[in-house]
């Protein structure tokens, strides 16, 4: 995902987002941009898509209905994209919203994956995926919050390689959809198992890399990007 210099800086307004909040440094994605709001449209979308997908996947399990499971997956995937887009469009990105979205993703993904086993007998690929997504990817996705960034989507300000492998839009879409697509469209389940195992290896390596990164010295503002970094972004 390309990030231009203009998109990352907002020099026109350095004032705090609210009373008692830090002065804004002008770097888009820095935690100083957090308005610290719980009630906003983006979080409402997260709640709605989570509950809607849960209702649909429960119906799919009770009625043994493949269309309902498909609807649950689509609601989860589309809603997961929608809440982030709403947050950006309405300038409502918050650190709470980022963590809340991560937790709700796991609720939707686990429920859909378990019901998927009712229709496709693929316990090993699904088991590897769930271990990766819950045991490895969950702490990996929460670790960026140690740095003063709004969400993992802005971790390129800290480490571009880890961000590219895990939070670039292509990496995120691949992680949540690849296994399902392979199980549905590729008869040989060994392909899905290999794919899930490769992703697991990448996540374990990324977790180790992020854990080894030096702790930030400034817990209020993310490091200002250099001119060279801004040109490459």
């Amino acid at each position: 995902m390309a990030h231009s210099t203009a998109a990352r800086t907002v020099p026109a307004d350095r004032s705090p987002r609210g009373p008692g909040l830090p002065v804004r440094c002008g770097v888009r994605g820095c935690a100083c941009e957090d308005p610290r709001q719980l009630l906003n449209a983006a979080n409402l979308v997260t709640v709605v898509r989570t509950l809607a997908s849960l209702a649909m996947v429960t119906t799919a399990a009770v009625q043994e209905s493949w269309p309902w499971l498909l609807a649950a997956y689509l609601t989860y995937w589309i809603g997961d994209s929608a809440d982030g887009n709403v947050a950006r469009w309405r300038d409502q990105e918050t650190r709470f919203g980022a963590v809340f979205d991560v937790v709700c993703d796991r609720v939707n993904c686990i429920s859909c994956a378990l019901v998927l086993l009712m229709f496709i007998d693929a316990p090993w690929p699904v088991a590897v995926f769930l271990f990766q997504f819950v045991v490895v990817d969950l702490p990996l996705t929460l670790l960026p919050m140690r740095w003063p960034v709004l969400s993992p989507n802005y971790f390129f300000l800290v480490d571009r390689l880890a961000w590219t492998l895990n939070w670039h839009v292509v990496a995120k879409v691949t992680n949540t959809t690849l296994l399902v697509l392979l199980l549905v469209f590729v008869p040989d389940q060994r392909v899905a198992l290999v794919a899930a195992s490769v992703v697991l290896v990448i996540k374990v390596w990324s977790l180790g890399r992020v854990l080894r990164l030096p702790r930030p010295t400034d817990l209020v503002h993310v490091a200002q990007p250099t001119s060279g970094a801004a040109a490459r972004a």
Side-chain angles (χ1 to χ4, degrees), residues 5-192:
T5 305
R8 290 171 63 187
T9 59
V10 283
D13 184 5
R14 300 294 182 89
S15 60
R17 292 292 298 272
L21 300 184
V23 174
R24 299 159 74 181
C25 68
V27 177
R28 183 178 181 184
C30 179
C32 65
E33 298 284 331
D34 189 348
R36 301 188 187 177
Q37 297 174 342
L38 296 181
L39 302 178
N40 58 42
N43 289 340
L44 177 60
V45 172
T46 302
V47 171
V48 171
R49 63 94 167 171
T50 302
L51 294 178
S53 181
L54 274 176
M56 292 175 185
V57 77
T58 301
T59 303
V62 171
Q63 299 186 2
E64 298 185 4
S65 170
W66 176 256
W68 275 112
L69 177 58
L70 176 61
Y73 263 118
L74 290 177
T75 300
Y76 155 46
W77 289 336
I78 295 173
D80 188 29
S81 175
D83 54 17
N85 286 327
V86 168
R88 285 183 286 274
W89 292 339
R90 297 178 63 90
D91 199 19
Q92 294 178 342
E93 291 179 282
T94 66
R95 285 165 62 85
F96 170 82
V99 174
F100 185 49
D101 179 71
V102 169
V103 173
C104 289
D105 284 348
R106 271 65 193 171
V107 172
N108 284 152
C109 189
I110 293 171
S111 58
C112 287
L114 292 178
V115 175
L116 179 66
L117 291 174
M118 295 178 57
F119 303 94
I120 300 176
D121 185 20
W124 286 109
V126 172
V128 171
F129 167 77
L130 289 178
F131 178 82
Q132 173 268 118
F133 197 58
V134 179
V135 178
V136 182
D137 190 55
L138 177 57
L140 172 62
T141 305
L142 294 178
L143 270 176
M145 308 311 285
R146 298 172 66 196
W147 284 263
V149 293
L150 274 176
S151 75
N153 292 330
Y154 296 100
F155 201 65
F156 61 87
L157 294 169
V158 179
D159 186 85
R160 180 163 287 275
L161 178 58
W163 172 80
T164 301
L165 291 175
N166 298 280
W167 302 294
H168 187 286
V169 62
V170 174
K172 292 197 295 183
V173 170
T174 299
N175 193 30
T176 55
T177 64
L178 178 61
L179 179 76
V180 177
L181 295 177
L182 288 176
L183 289 176
V184 172
F185 295 107
V186 179
D188 191 345
Q189 294 179 8
R190 291 175 296 182
V191 176

